[in-house]
Amino acid sequence: MSKLKKCLYLINLLERKGALTLKEINDYYQYSSLYEGEEILPRTFLRYREYIEETFPCYIDFNQRTGKYELHRHQKLYGEDDSLYDYLLSAYHIEGMTELAAYLEHRKKKPESRR
């Protein structure tokens, strides 16, 4: 799966569940459609965090007091109005869902077996 899809999954997970540890993230991840048999390693998660901050209107921050990762939006860019932030995330989600649908459709098509 692409980095984009995994990063969208992380954003969505942290939006829905709130702050999580990497272990908790991996616990949820193993039940996702993106799971490929390997957990998200700390170094990989760091790369995903950097990609999210560079690409999306939000970032993931580590709270040392709680030991959990939290999702934040870029307030400097979007101010207090959430509508643009929500719109941009929705656009990324739609793109990710379109790619996922195309991938699953391609995977579903198998050559017909001869009888």
Side-chain angles (χ1 to χ4, degrees):
M1 274 302 144
S2 75
K3 183 189 287 188
L4 174 64
K5 290 182 188 98
K6 289 180 181 177
C7 289
L8 284 170
Y9 172 79
L10 289 171
I11 291 169
N12 188 35
L13 179 66
L14 291 169
E15 278 184 332
R16 288 183 299 111
K17 300 295 182 181
L20 297 170
T21 64
L22 184 55
K23 182 191 179 320
E24 292 169 329
I25 290 169
N26 276 312
D27 289 344
Y28 285 109
Y29 179 62
Q30 71 180 350
Y31 295 105
S32 81
S33 61
L34 302 176
Y35 185 68
E36 297 173 326
E38 296 180 13
E39 66 180 22
I40 300 172
L41 300 174
R43 191 169 182 91
T44 303
F45 186 70
L46 176 62
R47 286 194 301 271
Y48 290 165
R49 285 177 61 197
E50 291 169 351
Y51 181 77
I52 287 169
E53 187 165 1
E54 293 170 0
T55 309
F56 297 97
C58 55
Y59 62 97
I60 298 173
D61 194 27
F62 182 73
N63 185 327
Q64 291 185 344
R65 187 177 57 77
T66 62
K68 295 185 176 192
Y69 293 96
E70 303 170 343
L71 184 69
H72 300 280
R73 64 186 176 95
H74 289 293
Q75 297 236 340
K76 291 179 185 175
L77 295 175
Y78 303 102
E80 296 300 320
D81 184 11
D82 286 342
S83 60
L84 180 58
Y85 170 80
D86 292 338
Y87 172 78
L88 289 172
L89 274 184
S90 295
Y92 282 116
H93 282 292
I94 290 168
E95 180 184 355
M97 293 302 292
T98 303
E99 286 182 23
L100 181 60
Y103 169 76
L104 292 175
E105 182 65 27
H106 176 71
R107 203 171 90 181
K108 188 172 82 172
K109 292 181 181 178
K110 294 180 183 177
E112 292 182 18
S113 59
R114 294 183 182 165
R115 291 184 177 185

